Amino acid sequence: MAPAVVAGPCGPVRATVDLPTSKSLTNRALVAAAVAGGGSIASPLDCDDTRVLAAALETAGWPVSWDREIEVGTRAVPSSSVKLDLKDSGTGSRLMLALLAAVSGRFVVDGSPRLRERPMAPLLEALETLGAQVRSSDGYLPVEINGTTLEGGAAEVRPEVSSQFVSALVMAAPLMTRGLVLAVHGVLPSAPYLDLTVDVLRAFGCTIEVSADRRHWSVSPGPLMPTHYSVEGDWSAAAFVLAAVGVAGGEIDVGPLDPASRQGDRAVVRILADAGLDLEWTDDRVTVRGPVTAPLRADLRHTPDLFPALAAVAACAPPGSRFEGLEHLKHKESDRLTVMVTNLERLGTRMEFDGNELVVSGTVDSVSGTTRRVTSAGDHRIAMAMAVVALGAGQLEIDDPDCVTKSFPRFWQVWDRVAGVEEGEGSVP
């Protein structure tokens, strides 16, 4: 898509925003329904990533019907080898690798150039210990799979860069003859996402036990139950709308959201409240008043998807914000730490970072009457974060605004309402 200009400072914001549902839960429900041999998903998130995973399931033999709800049917084994293109979907590719290793068929799993750079080795090594027949390019895509029923039993994994490796193994485990007893060693980033995996599997009838530290797993064998699963609102998407109030001030009503959700990104409300935002809950909606009045402090080891939105606020907040636990950001859709730092420094922000920790010592230069250029690096969360930054820095040109369709297809329409852009005058289609 062609570059587009994003509106600059708009004064205090006033808006009511209805959020999309969770991409993470939609993806997990799709795979759980496939393992169950059927199921339906209410209120799924319709975005690039979930459509890519649904198409991959269809290619691998599961009938998928997508209208207002998703219906997944009983699988028919393809008569020949099939190639699955997961495009930019890290979650989808990892979930599919484990699923396909545990069912009959011959497959090649591949994706975009960026997805080919994202590690798969810890998952593939664990699958091989369980008897899977996989062949990869040094632990990266493309991966050839000769799928078969796996015996299962005991296995170990060192996730290192992503908890998705653990999710992939336990979601495929009900298909294994003996189920799975899994030990997790080493670094375990983004651990709260594993709670979502557990919740979805239990909703489909899985017997699964996990220790409090998420290091020891036991998944019983046997079929899951076709289930009608309803997806809740997305805290990851909410972060960018809440960030707008953090920068511009004003008041926004946001929902539907579960205040007790197990989504790790729910931490955004605590982090912003600690920096001065006022929050008021009414049922499944939260009213937020800002702006922030103090530096932000957060350890994002388990919630790395919050970094772009929070960094955008920190660049416009009182100096002194500090973020820790950033070492895994380079393995996302882009090298998020490097891209955000480059963009923000281009806009005048002063920062110090060492790959794991970032301190903001000086805020963005607010400029009017000119348009400065920033890059999204093809990363949906970077593009949305730079829209937040524009509220403090001034009008910005973003090179690939359309990449938001990966997780928040209507983001720019929502953003026009947040920024007070009149209908028909929005700069981003």
Side-chain angles (χ1 to χ4, degrees):
M1 184 178 177
V5 175
V6 180
C10 59
V13 298
R14 295 281 188 275
T16 297
V17 174
D18 292 326
L19 293 167
T21 51
S22 168
K23 176 168 72 80
S24 297
L25 288 169
T26 301
N27 279 334
R28 284 161 174 75
L30 276 165
V31 172
V35 173
S40 59
I41 305 170
S43 304
L45 176 64
D46 191 348
C47 68
D48 288 353
D49 259 20
T50 55
R51 286 285 183 171
V52 162
L53 179 55
L57 288 170
E58 282 198 282
T59 301
W62 283 274
V64 179
S65 172
W66 194 320
D67 192 6
R68 295 186 66 180
E69 296 189 355
I70 301 175
E71 297 283 345
V72 179
T74 303
R75 180 173 183 256
V77 181
S79 58
S80 59
S81 177
V82 294
K83 181 175 181 178
L84 290 77
D85 182 3
L86 274 298
K87 302 190 184 300
D88 284 324
S89 179
T91 304
S93 61
R94 289 157 177 164
L95 294 179
M96 287 301 296
L97 286 172
L99 176 64
L100 297 178
V103 298
S104 299
R106 290 176 293 132
F107 316 94
V108 177
V109 177
D110 204 355
S112 68
R114 175 58 184 169
L115 191 59
R116 285 186 171 193
E117 296 174 350
R118 299 181 69 178
M120 304 291 169
L123 173 59
L124 299 176
E125 291 166 4
L127 287 171
E128 286 180 322
T129 66
L130 292 166
Q133 300 175 44
V134 296
R135 186 170 66 179
S136 71
S137 302
D138 297 320
Y140 295 87
L141 298 184
V143 176
E144 297 179 17
I145 302 172
N146 187 5
T148 186
T149 300
L150 300 178
E151 183 178 358
E156 299 179 350
V157 65
R158 291 184 174 274
E160 302 299 335
V161 299
S162 177
S163 64
Q164 291 169 0
F165 302 139
V166 180
S167 288
L169 290 165
V170 300
M171 293 207 78
L175 296 169
M176 302 176 191
T177 304
R178 296 168 53 200
L180 179 66
V181 176
L182 182 67
V184 180
H185 301 292
V187 177
L188 181 56
S190 305
Y193 283 98
L194 297 176
D195 300 334
L196 305 186
T197 300
V198 171
D199 289 349
V200 171
L201 282 171
R202 285 177 175 162
F204 279 80
C206 181
T207 300
I208 179 171
E209 300 298 331
V210 56
S211 63
D213 62 1
R214 308 179 183 96
R215 297 284 178 173
H216 302 282
W217 298 73
S218 176
V219 185
S220 297
L224 302 187
M225 300 183 301
T227 297
H228 184 70
Y229 182 86
S230 184
V231 183
E232 67 178 60
D234 187 27
W235 275 103
S236 300
F240 296 97
V241 180
L242 302 180
V245 183
V247 172
E251 178 178 302
I252 286 185
D253 174 79
V254 182
L257 290 167
D258 181 356
S261 173
R262 299 241 282 176
Q263 295 179 56
D265 286 351
R266 180 172 62 91
V268 68
V269 294
R270 174 187 53 77
I271 296 167
L272 292 175
D274 288 346
L277 253 62
D278 178 66
L279 310 171
E280 181 180 349
W281 281 96
T282 304
D283 298 325
D284 62 355
R285 303 193 69 86
V286 60
T287 300
V288 184
R289 303 176 186 90
V292 299
T293 55
L296 282 66
R297 302 279 196 276
D299 183 341
L300 301 177
R301 175 180 46 178
H302 293 307
T303 54
D305 285 346
L306 290 181
F307 173 72
L310 293 177
V313 177
C316 304
S321 293
R322 181 185 300 269
F323 302 112
E324 301 174 15
L326 308 180
E327 61 268 30
H328 300 295
L329 288 169
K330 63 183 178 182
H331 299 297
K332 296 293 184 176
E333 285 84 343
S334 68
D335 181 345
R336 282 184 180 159
L337 179 57
T338 299
V339 175
M340 282 297 296
V341 167
T342 300
N343 278 339
L344 293 175
E345 287 185 336
R346 187 178 300 166
L347 301 176
T349 312
R350 296 188 305 279
M351 292 170 287
E352 295 85 42
F353 73 103
D354 62 7
N356 178 60
E357 181 177 281
L358 181 143
V359 178
V360 180
S361 56
T363 57
V364 296
D365 297 329
S366 183
V367 175
S368 60
T370 187
T371 300
R372 291 175 287 178
R373 295 179 179 177
V374 292
T375 183
S376 68
D379 188 324
H380 55 135
R381 301 199 194 281
I382 299 290
M384 292 186 280
M386 297 320 296
V388 175
V389 174
L391 296 176
Q395 187 169 276
L396 299 178
E397 182 183 282
I398 300 178
D399 58 359
D400 182 14
D402 196 43
C403 63
V404 300
T405 58
K406 189 177 197 307
S407 64
F408 197 159
R410 296 189 65 256
F411 175 77
W412 295 116
Q413 293 93 319
V414 168
W415 198 253
D416 281 351
R417 191 160 66 253
V418 169
V421 177
E422 295 294 331
E423 185 173 354
E425 295 182 4
S427 55
V428 181

